[in-house]
């Protein structure tokens, strides 16, 4: 049995959260650019949850930017899909199965552009969501009158211009636009591009005024791991357990956050689905959420990924199953990173709570996150995410952050690499080669060449051209990193981590 509106009445899966009668008659309120798993696993999850609680009461028209509109899984399944939520929450395993019915229909931009523009005439339309990858929010010369325009901002502008014309500039028919692309100030940047395109296309002043005054572009930050399709064996088992086939089934972790920046009451009313789940946050300033994610989630990954790989752990899950690594990253977060990230806007309890959630996410037994994938562009991540945190630690505490220093030493050892015949750089540890996928691999290879550990550490830490600061000037940091790097080489990553936790010996 295939999942569809026709078969939904026959589905009797225990524990499966299904849409109630009348759900499919809800009006279309949302235009969504993108069919990707992040959108389906986060914004569409919130909208579906709100609909089932009788709060938002609106469905989504999805625009595919690629494809010719031929029948696909979305059409075959009437937009229905199963979302399996699996992970750790407050130290306990969580498993949920949700039948998401938020998507009303999927239209292809190339073949259904006229139908997409008809949506602009729908008075119920209130909200536009997008995830077109970071490349999508860029300014390219575009014709707003094309069918369709080439770029995402061009398509968005064409839709808004059509709505302006249909409703003759009615100020109550403006839209709330919330991009979820992973770039800072995504809403402001999208708005600036749309306005520039409007000027380039010579659109009338009345429209420009309506666009700027009665449409609301909101910055947003999304945070949820949505790997997408399950592994084939797990997918087949889930279909067998559910009693139906579902080509669109996705999985996601428990943790969820959609932080939307606005202090406008009308925006809050349009985004009424925020009342259905605490994972949706509407706030005048969302930088606090960006800072917590960048420093504590991404930053702890960066401080630990080199060590984890050198210790022989292929995945985050495998590392978290080990008591020594678990203790290392927990102490790193709670004792060194949390105090450093705390500020006038981020309290210590808030940072601690976020750090506990990070550890829950790392312990998720359902997601296979490869450490080697996390090491991609390792040096740039260390500079952007962790060097500011290191500097803050010294400003506040003034002493050597032993766990950060070991993480930095692990970074240096991982980045010891040489150029191979295929033009790529490889490191080697315990007789195993690994790819160093980093734009600065050649820089590290040169620093390591014919150099002993003390000289190598000095070369790296004093490279102000790269770090934008002289890390060797931090009291005791050079000696700490040197000692820890030497310990890593002689005794290994596991011994180095254990030495910090057990007898108090500095690695």
């Amino acid at each position: 049995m295939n999942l569809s509106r026709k078969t939904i009445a026959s589905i009797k899966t225990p524990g499966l959260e299904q849409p109630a009668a009348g759900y499919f008659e809800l009006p279309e309120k949302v235009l969504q650019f993108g069919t990707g798993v992040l959108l389906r696993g986060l914004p569409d999850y919130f909208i579906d949850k709100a609909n089932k609680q009788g709060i938002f009461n609106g469905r989504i028209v999805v625009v595919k930017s690629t494809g010719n509109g031929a029948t696909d899984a979305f059409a075959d399944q009437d937009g229905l899909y199963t979302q399996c939520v699996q992970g750790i929450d407050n130290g306990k395993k969580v498993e949920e199965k949700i039948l998401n019915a938020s998507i009303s229909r999927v239209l292809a931009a190339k073949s259904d552009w006229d139908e997409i523009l008809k949506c602009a005439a729908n008075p119920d339309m209130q909200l536009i969501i997008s995830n077109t990858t970071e490349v999508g929010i860029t300014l390219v010369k575009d014709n707003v009158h094309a069918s369709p325009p080439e770029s995402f901002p061009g398509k968005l502008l064409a839709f808004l211009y059509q709505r302006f014309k249909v409703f003759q500039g009615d100020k109550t028919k403006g839209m709330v636009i919330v991009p979820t692309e992973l770039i800072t100030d995504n809403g402001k940047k999208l708005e600036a591009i749309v306005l520039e395109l409007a000027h380039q296309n010579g659109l009338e002043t009345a429209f420009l005024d309506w666009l700027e005054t009665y449409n609301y572009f909101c910055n947003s930050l999304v945070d949820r791991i949505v790997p997408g399709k399950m592994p084939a064996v797990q997918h087949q088992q889930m279909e067998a357990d559910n009693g139906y086939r579902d080509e669109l089934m996705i999985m996601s972790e428990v943790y969820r956050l959609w932080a939307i920046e606005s202090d406008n009451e009308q925006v809050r009313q349009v985004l009424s689905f925020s009342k259905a789940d605490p994972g949706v946050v509407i706030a005048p300033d969302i930088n606090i959420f960006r800072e917590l994610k960048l420093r504590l989630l991404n930053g702890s990954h960066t401080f630990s990924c080199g060590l984890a790989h050198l210790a022989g752990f292929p995945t985050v899950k495998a590392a978290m199953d080990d008591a020594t690594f678990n203790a290392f990253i927990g102490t790193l977060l709670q004792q060194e990173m949390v105090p450093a990230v705390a500020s006038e806007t981020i309290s210590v309890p808030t940072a601690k709570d976020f750090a506990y959630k990070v550890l829950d996410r790392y312990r998720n037994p359902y997601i296979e996150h490869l450490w080697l994938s996390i090491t991609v562009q390792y040096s740039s991540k260390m500079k952007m995410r962790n060097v500011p945190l290191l500097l803050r630690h010294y400003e506040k505490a003034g002493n050597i952050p032993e766990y950060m220093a070991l993480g930095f030493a692990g970074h240096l050892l991982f980045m010891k690499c040489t150029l191979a015949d295929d033009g790529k750089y490889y490191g080697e540890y315990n007789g195993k080669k690994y790819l160093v996928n980093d734009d600065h691999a050649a820089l590290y290879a040169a620093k390591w060449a014919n150099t002993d550990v003390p000289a190598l550490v000095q070369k790296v830490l004093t490279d102000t051209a790269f770090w934008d600061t002289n890390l060797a000037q931090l009291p005791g940091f050079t000696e700490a990193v040197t000692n820890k790097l030497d310990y890593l080489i002689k005794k290994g990553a596991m011994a180095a981590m254990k030495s910090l936790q057990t007898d108090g010996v500095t690695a």
Side-chain angles (χ1 to χ4, degrees):
M1 179 172 66
N2 293 320
L3 177 61
S4 70
R5 283 186 63 176
K6 290 180 180 179
T7 61
I8 195 171
S10 303
I11 297 172
K12 307 297 182 184
T13 309
L16 179 66
E17 187 181 299
Q18 298 191 46
Y23 191 120
F24 295 101
E25 280 66 56
L26 294 175
E28 295 175 338
K29 288 186 177 181
V30 184
L31 187 71
Q32 175 175 297
F33 287 88
T35 60
V37 294
L38 178 63
L39 287 171
R40 292 197 286 128
L42 193 63
D44 299 356
Y45 163 88
F46 289 128
I47 290 171
D48 178 70
K49 186 172 184 177
N51 286 342
K52 287 170 179 169
Q53 295 179 19
I55 295 176
F56 182 68
N57 298 323
R59 300 184 76 203
I60 304 166
V61 178
V62 176
V63 178
K64 289 174 60 176
S65 295
T66 58
N68 56 14
T71 300
D72 59 10
F74 286 100
D76 293 340
Q77 297 183 191
D78 300 310
L80 295 165
Y81 63 94
T82 313
Q83 182 171 350
C84 304
V85 180
Q86 300 175 317
I88 305 292
D89 188 25
N90 292 321
K92 297 179 181 178
K93 281 189 178 182
V94 174
E95 292 188 66
E96 292 179 87
K97 289 188 288 188
I98 301 162
L99 194 54
N100 192 308
S102 61
I103 295 176
S104 173
R105 52 190 172 135
V106 177
L107 302 173
K110 289 184 179 179
S111 58
D112 301 320
W113 187 241
D114 289 343
E115 193 65 26
I116 292 167
L117 289 182
K118 286 180 183 178
C119 294
N122 176 3
D124 291 316
M125 275 284 170
Q126 300 176 327
L127 173 64
I128 296 173
I129 306 170
S130 70
N131 194 295
T132 56
T133 76
E134 293 75 14
V135 179
I137 301 185
T138 52
L139 176 63
V140 297
K141 191 173 183 179
D142 207 348
N143 178 10
V144 72
H145 305 292
S147 183
E150 178 184 349
S151 65
F152 159 57
K155 293 181 180 73
L156 174 59
L157 175 60
F159 179 89
L160 294 173
Y161 186 50
Q162 179 70 10
R163 190 166 180 84
F164 167 80
K165 291 187 293 183
V166 167
F167 291 105
Q168 299 179 337
D170 187 337
K171 64 182 181 180
T172 67
K173 293 300 185 289
M175 302 287 290
V176 175
I177 300 103
V178 187
T180 66
E181 287 81 355
L182 295 174
I183 57 175
T184 304
D185 295 332
N186 45 20
K188 291 180 180 178
K189 289 176 181 175
L190 179 59
E191 181 178 21
I193 291 169
V194 169
L195 285 168
E196 177 60 27
L197 280 176
H199 283 286
Q200 289 182 8
N201 279 267
L203 302 182
E204 58 265 40
T205 302
F207 168 70
L208 294 174
D209 291 341
W210 178 84
L211 177 62
E212 289 192 78
T213 308
Y214 303 114
N215 293 270
Y216 305 92
F217 290 77
C218 304
N219 297 327
S220 88
L221 173 71
V222 290
D223 188 7
R224 189 177 215 177
I225 298 174
V226 188
K229 281 193 174 184
M230 299 177 176
V233 174
Q234 189 179 351
H235 184 102
Q236 291 168 8
Q237 184 61 53
M238 190 64 71
E239 287 185 328
D241 293 343
N242 292 345
Y244 58 84
R245 287 184 293 275
D246 181 359
E247 193 177 331
L248 297 173
M249 185 187 301
I250 61 171
M251 68 175 294
S252 68
E253 66 173 336
V254 179
Y255 182 83
R256 59 219 177 265
L257 173 68
W258 191 10
I260 301 169
E261 190 167 271
S262 180
D263 58 2
N264 185 282
E265 184 56 33
Q266 184 175 336
V267 170
R268 188 174 290 275
Q269 290 176 9
V270 169
L271 305 179
S272 61
F273 55 79
S274 63
K275 301 173 185 176
D277 192 289
V280 184
V281 179
I282 304 172
D285 186 350
I286 62 171
N287 283 320
I288 178 175
F289 303 102
R290 183 174 290 109
E291 182 73 0
L292 287 169
K293 179 177 184 289
L294 179 67
R295 305 301 175 199
L296 298 183
L297 176 68
N298 304 136
S300 61
H301 262 154
T302 303
F303 266 135
S304 57
C305 61
L307 286 172
H309 176 78
L310 297 171
F313 299 117
T315 65
V316 175
K317 175 184 177 298
M320 295 303 291
D321 286 342
D322 180 86
T324 297
F325 182 87
N326 201 327
F328 168 79
I329 197 167
T331 307
L332 168 70
L333 272 164
Q334 296 294 349
Q335 292 189 10
E336 292 186 357
M337 299 184 76
V338 163
V341 83
S343 65
E344 291 182 1
T345 56
I346 301 176
S347 68
V348 169
T350 296
K352 278 189 173 182
D353 181 66
F354 190 89
Y356 282 125
K357 288 184 173 67
V358 166
L359 293 172
D360 272 346
R361 298 172 76 180
Y362 287 172
R363 295 185 183 109
N364 190 339
Y366 303 100
I367 295 177
E368 295 289 306
H369 203 170
L370 297 173
W371 284 113
L372 270 180
S373 298
I374 297 171
T375 65
V376 173
Q377 304 304 342
Y378 196 176
S379 59
S380 295
K381 290 175 180 176
M382 184 65 73
K383 175 184 177 180
M384 180 181 71
R385 299 170 176 178
N386 290 353
V387 166
L389 211 56
L390 177 63
L391 297 177
R392 281 187 220 165
H393 171 88
Y394 269 96
E395 289 173 8
K396 292 184 172 186
N399 56 20
I400 301 167
E402 301 289 352
Y403 286 76
M404 290 186 188
L406 181 55
F408 199 94
H411 165 70
L412 294 181
L413 185 53
F414 180 92
M415 293 296 294
K416 183 179 182 180
C417 56
T418 54
L419 181 64
D421 293 339
D422 62 1
K424 298 177 181 179
Y425 285 85
Y426 292 87
E428 184 176 340
Y429 195 70
N430 285 340
K432 294 182 179 180
K433 286 189 175 183
Y434 56 87
L435 176 66
V436 177
N437 191 350
D438 191 298
D439 289 345
H440 300 99
L443 178 67
Y444 280 79
K447 290 185 187 302
W448 268 105
N450 303 313
T451 305
D452 61 13
V453 167
L456 176 278
V457 173
Q458 189 70 20
K459 283 182 184 179
V460 173
L461 295 186
T462 56
D463 190 349
T464 56
F466 182 76
W467 302 112
D468 296 329
T469 187
N470 186 349
L471 296 177
Q473 292 180 346
L474 299 175
F477 192 64
T478 302
E479 183 180 1
V481 173
T482 301
N483 291 340
K484 286 169 169 54
L485 180 55
D486 186 61
Y487 197 102
L488 280 170
I489 293 169
K490 291 177 180 177
K491 297 189 178 182
M494 291 299 293
M497 287 186 284
K498 191 172 292 185
S499 70
L500 287 182
Q501 301 155 27
T502 54
D503 56 9
V505 175
T506 300

